[in-house]
Structures are given as C-alpha cells and as structure tokens.
Amino acid sequence: MAAKAKTPPTKTTDERELIRELAAILDSTHLTEIEVERDGLRVRVVRQVASAAAPIHAAPAPTAATQAAVTAADVASHPGVVPSPMVGTAYIASEPGAKPFVDVGSKVVAGETLLIIEAMKTMNQIPSPRAGTVKEILFEDGQPVEFGEPLMIIE
C-alpha cells in the first residue's frame, strides 16, 4: 500500500492556528490583548470586554484608604494648601519636645516659619507663602514627605 503524500499546510491554515493559540492564551491568562510577530507576520488578538455582559456588583463600602485618597485629592486642590517644596522628613518643631512653630488656629504672616524639612542632613525652614490662619496640619511630626505633598492649609 502506497503512503499518501501529506500536503504541506497552507499559510492561511498556519495563521488561523496561530490566532486560535493566541485566543486560547487570552482565555487562560485573562488578558485582553496579545500581539506576536513571527517570520515577518504580525498578529494581534484583542478581546473586547462587553460592559453590559459584566455582572453587576454592589460598590464596596468606602474604606479608610479610599476616603483618605479622596480627601488627599480634595486637599491638594484647596486654594490655601502649602505643598512640600522638597522630599525629606517634616518636623513641626525645631527639636523634639520644643514648642511647635504653628498649631491649628495659629495666625501666621507671609514668610513666617511653618515647619522644617530635613533633607540630606540639612534642616530647611519652610516659610508661610501667605498670611492667614492655619486650618489644618496634614502631616505627623517626623513623617517622610514627598515633593508637592500637601503639608498645611492656611486660609
């Protein structure tokens, strides 16, 4: 009995098989998009997730972390916010146990020292950018702060 000659797979069949393999990878990994390039052929498979087909879940109750994130966003856009001009460690007093530079309710003038930030072993006095009353102090004494992080609100 003569063996039948196997016909080589066509390029179209190879492409379809590659697409099926990529779709299976998307299903098994829960990815929404995958792209490969092989022998000059680039194939991109994208799964669009239908929002109507998604199950409806009740929104989780806000946690302290999400409330803090919302509050931080609100505070950052407040017109009286005093942002950190540098990265470092913020202190409310000149030394441990000393009287704080300001307290909530303190009246300040422009240029008055509000706090100090230690950066690279240097104590940097942070002056008030405006006159007003300290409404909130948004950091703990000795807390690391980032550039632009809200430190106080002065109204």
Side-chain angles (χ1 to χ4, degrees):
M1 187 172 211
K4 274 191 166 179
K6 205 175 197 182
T7 57
T10 64
K11 190 168 190 166
T12 305
T13 304
D14 289 343
E15 291 169 0
R16 286 182 184 160
E17 186 59 34
L18 177 59
I19 292 169
R20 284 188 183 100
E21 288 175 20
L22 293 175
I25 292 171
L26 283 179
D27 287 338
S28 66
T29 60
H30 304 293
L31 293 172
T32 57
E33 182 176 333
I34 190 167
E35 182 175 351
V36 296
E37 186 172 351
R38 186 167 35 179
D39 299 328
L41 172 69
R42 177 176 285 171
V43 177
R44 180 173 171 227
V45 179
V46 178
R47 174 187 19 209
Q48 294 193 358
V49 180
S51 61
I56 298 174
H57 296 288
T63 62
T66 57
Q67 288 174 345
V70 170
T71 304
D74 292 342
V75 168
S77 63
H78 191 282
V81 74
V82 177
S84 176
M86 64 188 72
V87 175
T89 303
Y91 297 100
I92 196 70
S94 60
E95 60 183 45
K99 181 180 179 291
F101 292 110
V102 293
D103 291 308
V104 173
S106 297
K107 299 221 181 290
V108 296
V109 296
E112 182 179 340
T113 300
L114 298 174
L115 64 136
I116 54 176
I117 296 180
E118 179 185 6
M120 298 175 53
K121 304 290 183 193
T122 302
M123 297 298 187
N124 301 280
Q125 295 182 357
I126 308 303
S128 175
R130 68 188 73 72
T133 304
V134 176
K135 294 295 181 180
E136 286 186 69
I137 298 175
L138 305 168
F139 68 96
E140 296 292 325
D141 192 41
Q143 172 186 325
V145 294
E146 296 292 326
F147 174 80
E149 181 177 334
L151 299 173
M152 291 186 186
I153 293 181
I154 298 175
E155 292 181 341

